[in-house]
Every structure is written in structure tokens, then in C-alpha cells.
Amino acid sequence: MIATLTDAAKSYGRTCALRPTTLHLDTGVIGLLGPNGAGKTTMLRMLATVLAPTSGRITVAGYDVTGAYGERVEARRRIGYLPQEVVFPRGMTAAGFLDYIAVLKEWRNTASRHDEVQRVLALVDLADRSTTKVRALSGGQRRRLAIAQALIGSPSLLILDEPTTGLDPEQRMGLRNILSKQPGAVLISTHQTEDVAALCDRVIVLDDGAVRFDGTVADLLATADGLVHQGAEATVGAIQTWRTGTGLIRSVGGEAAAGIERVTPTVEDAYLLLRQQS
Ligand code: ADP
């Protein structure tokens, strides 16, 4: 088991951001979905050892991050973390910034550190920007540089908070490719339900600080089976309806009248239905 939460909870004063939660995270890409304020960032920051839980226990690679400082250090050696916002030293070059992070990550051998920096730069398609100052990079390039620092050392637990923000579709595909080749557990929070469908072995849906769903993408889609329709009219009681490009009306939820065709649900449909039930 790469990481575990046992009754881990977090409150900010009177606000309960995460209710007591028990989860086991193993190898593979795990998508964390949920509306704004659901507690996703709180959960990721606790796993990244940035934030201590108010109660409960968290382990990473067998080390208790809620225990002694030494255990937390051992866990941090095995974690890569992309926060929602990264503040860069803007005068550094892309390679210089990654080298700095690699030094902090205890890469003492200069030659292998240099190779690792070049490896992660190439992974995020920034090899030709290695000597460019951070301030001269575009928003998308900066985001990819931020992703690159999390990839240093191929961590056992890679935690990415909304990594696709600011990436164009090609770059998102590139990121999927990188993440699918990671050796350990990859936990990503995202609003991109297509990324979840395309990439994730497992989906966790958080809402109001609690896990509402935990299973495979197929399990999630099964919850919406028979509940998505398309036809000339909307279904009665649908939670969402819209006219598609073909002129037909797609309805999520509700009771379909005769002649309205059932269609295969998407992750987005299933997510919307789940949200409605909670
Ligand atoms: P998400 O990442 O799913 O949008 P967050 O984990 O950021 O959710 O927030 C969960 C809840 O905790 C929200 O109600 C948010 O307002 C609250 N919260 C988050 N961070 C803080 C903080 N530093 N101080 C007070 N409340 C916070």
C-alpha cells in the first residue's frame, strides 16, 4: 500500500473541510473529482504533508506522516507534489529552477542531478526552454515546469492539484502520457471529466468533505446506466438537459417518454447524477 488515510479529518475553525475519511491508495492513476469546496485540496495537502490532519492518521510508503518528524521526512523523500499555485523565482532559468528543487530533494551527485533535470524537462516538452528565464515563459510553459518539479525522482506518490489548468488539448494529452507511465500512485484532482475517463484506474468523488464514490471508471459509469437519454424532447424530471449539435436534446436523469433513446453515459453524466443524489 503506497498511502493510507485512517479516519483522517481536517477542520479550519468551525469549517469541516474533510470529515473522518479512510482510504487506501495503491499503484495507478486515481482521479479526485468534486465541486469547489469539496475538500480536494485539503486532502491532497494532508497527503503531501503540507497540512496536518486535525484527527486521524496518514501513512505514505509505510511512514506515519502524522507521527514523528523523522517519519515525515522519510515520507517526503517519496512524494512529488504539484500545488494548485506555484510561486517561482522568476529570475531563474527553467533548468536552474529544477536543479534547485532537485538539490532540495537531496540529489547530491551533480551529474545524475543534471541528467534528472534534463529528463523531466524533456518529459514536459520544455527541453528547448532549459536556459529561458521563468519570467519569459508562457503561462502553459510555467505550468509544465511546475509539473516537471513534481516528477523529479519518479516519486512513489505523485500528488497533482489540478494539473491540467492552463494546458491546451495537446499538452493535456502529453500529460496523460506522462502520468500513465508513472511507477507509483498518482493522485490528481481535476474538473476535467474526460481526463478521468481516459486516464484513471480509479475515481474518488468528494462532496462536502466526504467520499461519495470510490471505484473504477466502469463502476462510476454503471451508476448512470439507463439514466441518460437523447431525443426530440427532454425527459421529465431531468437534472440537466441541453440541445446537442445534432439538434437532439440530451437529458441526464428523469423519466424518458416512449421513443426517447437511451444513450451511453459519460463520466460527466455519472458525476452530475451522483452530485444530485448527495
Ligand atoms: P476544494 O479543493 O475541493 O475546492 P478545499 O479543500 O480547498 O476544497 O476546501 C474545503 C473547505 O475548506 C471549503 O469550505 C473551504 O472554504 C475551506 N477552507 C480551505 N482552506 C481553508 C483555510 N485555510 N481556512 C479556512 N477554511 C478553509
Side-chain angles (χ1 to χ4, degrees):
M1 199 56 58
I2 291 175
T4 62
L5 286 89
T6 310
D7 286 328
K10 178 71 194 177
S11 297
Y12 300 100
R14 281 199 208 136
T15 308
C16 178
L18 192 72
R19 295 164 201 276
T21 299
T22 297
L23 282 175
H24 298 265
L25 308 180
D26 217 338
T27 307
V29 185
I30 304 155
L32 192 57
L33 283 177
N36 290 330
K40 302 182 297 298
T41 296
T42 299
M43 183 192 278
L44 297 186
R45 293 183 74 206
M46 291 199 307
L47 275 162
T49 79
V50 175
L51 193 68
T54 313
S55 58
R57 188 167 176 264
I58 298 175
T59 68
V60 175
Y63 296 100
D64 183 353
V65 306
T66 44
Y69 174 71
E71 298 235 354
R72 204 147 53 240
V73 170
E74 283 301 331
R76 283 177 184 160
R77 291 191 168 117
R78 293 158 177 87
I79 294 171
Y81 174 46
L82 169 76
Q84 226 165 43
E85 279 170 36
V86 176
V87 180
F88 294 101
R90 294 161 65 87
M92 271 187 179
T93 63
F97 169 69
L98 292 176
D99 190 71
Y100 176 67
I101 300 291
V103 168
L104 296 181
K105 288 194 166 184
E106 304 172 310
W107 284 69
R108 293 196 181 89
N109 181 294
T110 312
S112 55
R113 190 173 69 238
H114 180 258
D115 288 349
E116 181 63 2
V117 165
Q118 293 306 317
R119 183 185 75 88
V120 294
L121 269 174
L123 270 181
V124 298
D125 205 16
L126 283 178
D128 60 346
R129 288 284 175 275
S130 67
T131 57
T132 305
K133 293 248 167 85
V134 169
R135 66 166 159 264
L137 295 175
S138 70
Q141 288 170 338
R142 258 178 240 172
R143 196 63 187 153
R144 282 183 282 145
L145 184 62
I147 293 168
Q149 63 77 29
L151 297 172
I152 292 172
S154 303
S156 309
L157 176 62
L158 180 59
I159 301 164
L160 306 173
D161 202 347
E162 296 190 24
T164 51
T165 309
L167 300 188
D168 66 29
E170 243 177 291
Q171 292 163 351
R172 263 174 52 206
M173 293 291 175
L175 182 65
R176 281 184 197 173
N177 185 287
I178 296 166
L179 298 186
S180 63
K181 290 180 184 155
Q182 285 304 300
V186 181
L187 182 60
I188 58 168
S189 75
T190 181
H191 290 292
Q192 302 282 347
T193 48
E194 316 94 90
D195 285 336
V196 170
L199 181 67
C200 295
D201 304 303
R202 178 175 167 194
V203 194
I204 296 170
V205 179
L206 267 188
D207 198 0
D208 196 21
V211 173
R212 301 286 177 205
F213 176 88
D214 182 0
T216 63
V217 170
D219 291 341
L220 180 62
L221 293 175
T223 64
D225 218 16
L227 296 171
V228 185
H229 299 88
Q230 199 159 278
E233 286 169 35
T235 61
V236 177
I239 57 162
Q240 279 291 346
T241 63
W242 65 96
R243 189 179 293 278
T244 68
T246 57
L248 293 174
I249 297 176
R250 188 178 168 98
S251 309
V252 182
E255 298 280 325
I260 304 277
E261 185 199 355
R262 272 187 186 177
V263 292
T264 310
T266 63
V267 168
E268 191 166 38
D269 298 329
Y271 172 71
L272 288 173
L273 285 162
L274 206 67
R275 291 264 300 122
Q276 183 68 15
Q277 288 155 14
S278 59

